[in-house]
Every structure is written in C-alpha cells, then in structure tokens.
C-alpha cells in the first residue's frame, strides 16, 4: 500500500502537468523579424529580452514564460532552423543596436562550473560513504560517469 501511494505521489504531478499543459508538436518559422508558430501565433524579436543557443533555443521574454525550442538530429529541419534563427537574431541585433536582447551562455559560465563542482563533490562524498560503510560497493561504477560529466561542466567553454 505504501509503495502504491509513493508511486501515485510521484506520478500525480506529472499527470497533472501533462493534462494542464499537454505537449504539442509545433512548427516554427522565421518571418522577417519574428518567429511565427503554427498554433501559438508569433513572437517578435523585439519582445525577446534574452536568449541562449547552447543545446537548444531558449527565449526569455519580459513578463512571459520562458520558451524552449527543442529538437535533435531526428527532428526534420531543426538543424536548419537552429542555424537560420542564430543568423536572423545576429542580423536583427546588428540592425537594432539599442534594443539588443542579451545572449546568455551556460557552458563556460559560473553556473556551469558551480554545478560541476557540486556534482564532483557529491561523487566524492558518495564514494567515501560507500567505501566507509561497505554497503552497495557494486554501485561504485556509476560514480565515474557522473564525475566525467562534472569535469565536462567545470572545464567547459562557451560555444561560438
């Protein structure tokens, strides 16, 4: 009964989130100085206060929700859209120097390094605890994966 209740408590927020904000495949196009979406209307570049192009397109807007435009190699046309958005935003920034949205970076920033250090310290504490108490020694093989990821964050550089 407790296990069932725990699963329900973990799954209920996800179920409510998907019911409240159902995931929707959206098609975006760059038309002039704005992003135009198939279902959600358009977002003018002038309304964007900040953006990030590290692993996905992250758009911050004043008084609005942060918008993430994600895709991968399997998503048809995402690579071309990503490249054309970066070029369109650079062109818009060059034409409107007074209204420049700030481009933020995660890799190479203090946030990435702090997160990497925290993960690395956590790995070391976990390894010491496992070795000191002698429990779950077979789980030690997971820690190098997290340590490698942490080192990648600590020594990351900004992507141009």
């Amino acid at each position: 009964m407790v296990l069932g209740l725990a699963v329900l408590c973990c799954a209920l927020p996800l179920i409510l989130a998907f019911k409240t904000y159902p995931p929707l495949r959206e098609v975006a196009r760059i038309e002039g100085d704005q992003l135009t979406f198939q279902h959600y209307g358009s977002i003018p570049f002038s309304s964007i206060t900040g953006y990030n192009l590290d692993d996905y397109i992250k758009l911050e807007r004043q008084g609005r929700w942060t918008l993430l435009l994600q895709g991968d190699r399997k998503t048809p046309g995402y690579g071309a859209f990503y490249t054309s958005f970066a070029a369109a935003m650079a062109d818009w920034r060059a034409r409107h120097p007074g209204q420049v949205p700030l481009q933020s970076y995660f890799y190479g920033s203090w946030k990435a390094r702090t997160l990497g250090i925290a993960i690395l310290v956590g790995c070391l504490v976990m390894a010491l605890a496992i070795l000191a108490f002698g429990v779950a020694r077979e789980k030690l093989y997971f820690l190098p994966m997290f340590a490698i990821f942490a080192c990648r964050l600590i020594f990351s550089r900004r992507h141009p």
Side-chain angles (χ1 to χ4, degrees):
M1 184 171 147
V2 171
L3 183 61
L5 186 61
V7 169
L8 179 67
C9 288
C10 290
L12 190 61
L14 295 174
I15 293 169
L16 290 175
F18 277 97
K19 285 292 188 185
T20 306
Y21 301 105
L24 177 67
R25 287 198 171 262
E26 180 63 89
V27 177
R29 294 181 311 278
I30 298 170
E31 295 178 350
D33 288 343
Q34 66 183 5
L35 285 173
T36 304
F37 295 93
Q38 187 176 19
H39 296 103
Y40 292 122
S42 62
I43 298 174
F45 288 167
S46 59
S47 70
I48 299 171
T49 59
Y51 65 100
N52 186 321
L53 299 175
D54 281 342
D55 291 330
Y56 46 81
I57 299 172
K58 176 182 171 183
L59 303 176
E60 297 172 5
R61 300 171 292 158
Q62 184 69 30
R64 304 289 309 257
W65 291 89
T66 298
L67 180 66
L68 297 177
L69 303 175
Q70 292 180 276
D72 56 15
R73 293 183 196 128
K74 296 177 186 176
T75 306
Y78 181 75
F81 174 76
Y82 182 91
T83 305
S84 62
F85 176 78
M89 187 57 78
D91 180 50
W92 189 86
R93 288 176 65 187
R95 288 184 288 123
H96 300 89
Q99 301 176 345
V100 177
L102 300 174
Q103 182 175 2
S104 62
Y105 299 91
F106 178 71
Y107 297 110
S109 69
W110 65 270
K111 293 176 185 178
R113 290 190 175 100
T114 304
L115 180 62
I117 290 169
I119 292 171
L120 193 59
V121 167
C123 286
L124 292 174
V125 168
M126 289 282 289
L128 290 174
I130 288 172
L131 292 174
F133 296 118
V135 292
R137 287 183 189 252
E138 66 275 359
K139 302 297 182 192
L140 277 173
Y141 65 89
F142 280 113
L143 293 179
M145 292 187 300
F146 289 111
I148 290 170
F149 176 70
C151 289
R152 180 176 181 263
L153 288 175
I154 292 169
F155 299 112
S156 64
R157 303 252 186 262
R158 284 186 176 176
H159 298 284

